Amino acid sequence: MLRKLYIEPTAKCNLNCKMCFRHTWFDEPICDLSLEDFRRVLETMPRSVETIFFGGMGEPLFHKEILTMIRLAAETGAEVELLTNGTLLSEAMICGLLDAGLSRLWISIDDLETDSSINASSDHGALDHSGHNHSGLVLSNIRLLNKLRQKHLSSISLGITFVAMKSNVHQLAKLPFFIAQHLVDEVNVSNISPTDESSQEELLYTGLVNMYTGPGKGSVLPTVRLPFFDMNIPEAADGIRSLMRKQNFNLYFNDQPVLRKTGYCKFVREGMTFVRADGEVCPCMALLHNGYTWMNGIRRKITHCSFGNAKRQSLAEIWNSREYQAFRRKFDDFDFASCLYCGHCELFSENREDCIGNTHPTCGGCLWAEGVLSCP
């Protein structure tokens, strides 16, 4: 059943971050979802929807009707969440979010330091057209948010999304202090998805995606079961690091698998779908827009996938269509070629076809399905 509905209110953004997917788009309309079309989505969505999430590739708070949209979504009885870059969180906007019935506000930030900016000279940070970094403003707005939600006795919770790169991954050590200082309820950490050749230098997973790390269906790899260790003891930390470099086994801590799931699409398997700003209904973040990404020096052309348009069709009918159901069934066994674990044939440069006969969309090269990229 459809449980989580992602809405992209707008494909526009007030920033111009150099690492953003939007710079790689081709044949994409830059538009807003009208309030009328949004009402139609709510009226025709399946009753099974439990969460409505305002996100996508644009900045939701840049939509002039976003507070009305949130209010209408909350009136359905669903949990309502929103992801923002945090720069538009004025006092009036925050009070509007509190009044509209938002359940959780997610704020994207790539700098956990309050007095410095790691991306002041980086090509990959949240920079606007003038190259200015906004981390200080976002941190100030988080403090304002906490002041106002305490003043209004609001039950809204705060989530933080953090994109880890070589230039900022050391800041993860600051997370416990940041969480306590800013009253954070949940943190979602993801890797960066390279949008140009130079951004590959920031990757933290280059070796990981080229080998099987299990556990998975039919795995023939040996299993290693470990107890918990005090990782503050240098010898323990060094031993685990050395072990992890091998990556030819299934690793468990306290009988729980700790390595990433392979060939697992949470968007499909956990009942999610996306409605783009132009109304197109897409199955996941990876197939939301036309764009380019890079892997092992290869430029990949990703063509979006849509099963209908919510402006003209019932969302429930699109979700239950024979074509969309057939697509979702492929993920029971992740019936796609293992593109990331082979030598990258000529088919890898696009998601149009794979070597076992699948046609568009092929998902064997998806970093979300490999547990490398993560969305809240």
Side-chain angles (χ1 to χ4, degrees):
M1 293 186 293
L2 178 59
R3 299 192 180 279
K4 190 169 185 177
L5 173 61
Y6 285 85
I7 302 287
E8 182 182 67
T10 180
K12 303 172 186 176
C13 188
N14 63 311
L15 297 184
N16 188 30
C17 303
K18 293 187 177 181
M19 69 176 181
C20 183
F21 293 102
R22 298 169 74 252
H23 291 297
T24 76
W25 284 359
F26 61 91
D27 299 332
E28 284 292 304
I30 308 300
C31 61
D32 295 330
L33 184 68
S34 72
L35 187 57
E36 178 184 359
D37 289 329
F38 176 71
R39 289 180 188 271
R40 176 177 174 79
V41 170
L42 294 185
E43 291 168 356
T44 65
M45 72 180 185
R47 294 184 179 181
S48 56
V49 171
E50 299 169 352
T51 303
I52 298 173
F53 193 108
F54 291 94
M57 296 297 184
E59 168 52 47
L61 299 186
F62 207 43
H63 194 295
K64 62 182 181 180
E65 301 282 4
I66 188 60
L67 295 179
T68 301
M69 288 181 166
I70 293 171
R71 189 179 304 278
L72 291 172
E75 288 175 356
T76 68
E79 293 289 305
V80 183
E81 303 184 25
L82 182 145
L83 172 61
T84 175
N85 61 39
T87 59
L88 299 178
L89 289 172
S90 63
E91 182 170 352
M93 177 61 75
I94 293 172
C95 289
L97 294 173
L98 299 181
D99 291 339
L102 191 66
S103 307
R104 173 163 296 186
L105 179 65
W106 290 90
I107 299 177
S108 176
I109 189 167
D110 59 6
D111 182 2
L112 301 178
E113 298 177 348
T114 57
D115 299 320
S116 64
S117 175
I118 64 167
N119 286 314
S121 60
S122 169
D123 286 335
H124 307 297
L127 308 179
D128 65 14
H129 292 276
S130 64
H132 181 69
N133 186 280
H134 293 281
S135 297
L137 172 62
V138 175
L139 288 169
S140 176
N141 289 345
I142 290 175
R143 288 191 286 268
L144 177 60
L145 167 69
N146 283 323
K147 177 182 177 181
L148 291 173
R149 65 173 175 160
Q150 289 178 333
K151 177 181 178 181
H152 293 269
L153 302 177
S154 173
S155 61
I156 187 174
S157 60
L158 173 63
I160 295 296
T161 66
F162 183 86
V163 177
M165 303 171 279
K166 286 183 180 178
S167 57
N168 70 358
V169 69
H170 67 280
Q171 292 197 20
L172 290 180
K174 302 177 183 294
L175 264 181
F177 173 75
F178 188 92
I179 290 170
Q181 181 184 28
H182 297 290
L183 306 178
V184 177
D185 297 285
E186 186 173 348
V187 177
N188 184 91
V189 179
S190 178
N191 280 291
I192 181 178
S193 178
T195 54
D196 57 36
E197 193 167 13
S198 66
S199 62
Q200 292 181 100
E201 299 173 2
E202 288 278 5
L203 303 187
L204 298 172
Y205 53 87
T206 48
L208 183 66
V209 297
N210 292 316
M211 57 187 68
Y212 181 81
T213 57
K217 184 176 180 180
S219 172
V220 296
L221 296 177
T223 295
V224 176
R225 300 183 185 275
L226 297 177
F228 288 117
F229 297 112
D230 182 351
M231 300 304 287
N232 291 312
I233 299 174
E235 292 81 0
D238 290 342
I240 294 297
R241 274 197 298 269
S242 298
L243 177 65
M244 294 290 285
R245 291 191 186 104
K246 308 303 181 183
Q247 295 185 348
N248 58 355
F249 51 83
N250 297 327
L251 179 61
Y252 286 72
F253 273 108
N254 194 31
D255 287 331
Q256 297 296 316
V258 296
L259 293 180
R260 63 192 174 93
K261 296 178 180 178
T262 58
Y264 178 85
C265 176
K266 81 167 190 174
F267 297 111
V268 171
R269 298 295 296 276
E270 298 175 20
M272 306 177 188
T273 200
F274 286 72
V275 176
R276 291 196 329 188
D278 61 352
E280 295 297 319
V281 178
C282 306
C284 64
M285 180 67 82
L287 297 172
L288 190 60
H289 290 280
N290 298 320
Y292 293 91
T293 186
W294 289 79
M295 180 57 60
N296 289 345
I298 300 174
R299 189 191 193 202
R300 296 198 72 213
K301 180 180 181 180
I302 305 299
T303 303
H304 87 275
C305 171
S306 172
F307 290 96
N309 192 295
K311 291 183 178 182
R312 300 183 292 272
Q313 301 165 264
S314 159
L315 182 57
E317 290 177 357
I318 295 172
W319 175 259
N320 292 314
S321 67
R322 186 173 301 176
E323 181 184 17
Y324 201 171
Q325 290 189 59
F327 173 77
R328 294 197 297 270
R329 280 196 295 270
K330 280 180 171 288
F331 292 84
D332 290 342
D333 296 305
F334 203 77
D335 189 19
F336 300 96
S338 300
C339 298
L340 293 177
Y341 310 128
C342 73
H344 300 329
C345 68
E346 65 276 5
L347 297 177
F348 184 70
S349 62
E350 294 193 47
N351 67 336
R352 288 287 188 182
E353 181 183 359
D354 67 23
C355 61
I356 63 173
N358 287 302
T359 56
H360 179 263
T362 59
C363 299
C366 178
L367 294 177
W368 277 273
E370 293 301 310
V372 175
L373 304 184
S374 174
C375 297

